[in-house]
Amino acid sequence: MDHEDTLALFDRRLRREAKPDGPGARIERDGDVIRQVGAAHDWNGVLWSDLDDATADRAIAAQVRYFTALGREFEWKTYAHDRPGDLGERLRAAGFTAEPQEAVMVARIEDLATDTALPEGVHLRPVTDRAGVDLVADVHEQAFGTSSARLRQRMLDQLARSPETVSLVVAMAGERPVCAARMELNPGTEFAGLWGGGTVADWRGRGIYRAMVAHRARIAADLGYRYLQVDASDQSRPILQRLGFAILTTSTPYVHQPPASSDAGQGSQGSQESRGS
């Protein structure tokens, strides 16, 4: 995998030519900024910008005004190679809060194992209905310790209105959900994205997360995708590297809250791959 070519393809397909990631969202271009705008439970934020020292502060202020007028929290998702080099500092000066840095990791699907070796008594359940979404949301709250209310509504919207853009799975130990994950599909591109992979604490270290990656890789391969992309936390990065993923760049989300907002936060596009084993 050529690093520079893959990074350029990633920027073009998933950022500059981005499609909405949910049925209620839309992509807008405002000068040199590309953003996604949706309902309160959707991911709202900046996907791409082409700024310099002379234009950055003005563009940042314009986005703050726009989303504040909508009453929306929003995220400016920055990447290590974005310009200007002090974009993060400018965002903090404008009232944004930095979230933990993520490693943007990519693997060619043809290089990944797709066999799912699960512990005895554990099976995978595809999620296609509200009951399954409830199981995913339950695991999310246990694994990440955060509310899954927004994510739950987004998943329900996707399954009801654009099921071709998402694949959800939950690992069941008997009747108990112990791991869950989703894959965001980007029709017309080479990339499928792994999101929200999490395992409840007492089931970590047994290989379920690795099996979830393999399961999603097999689905993506069958659908004709070339690459899997992950925004990985420190917990999942070593596992993904062992599985064949390479670090393409790093990303830091910057979140801006509207005045007097009591929102709990939307998170980085519905939770990175964070707590697995």
Side-chain angles (χ1 to χ4, degrees), residues 32-33 49-60 76 78-91 254:
D32 292 322
V33 171
S49 63
D50 185 18
L51 306 174
D52 57 29
D53 290 339
T55 61
D57 290 339
R58 184 167 63 250
I60 291 169
W76 193 304
T78 69
Y79 293 81
H81 56 290
D82 285 350
R83 296 291 179 265
D86 63 348
L87 180 58
E89 296 174 20
R90 292 170 185 261
L91 289 167
Y254 288 84

Side-chain angles (χ1 to χ4, degrees), residues 66-77:
Y66 178 82
F67 283 103
T68 298
L70 295 176
R72 295 279 188 276
E73 172 188 308
F74 77 103
E75 176 183 308
W76 193 304
K77 195 168 179 63

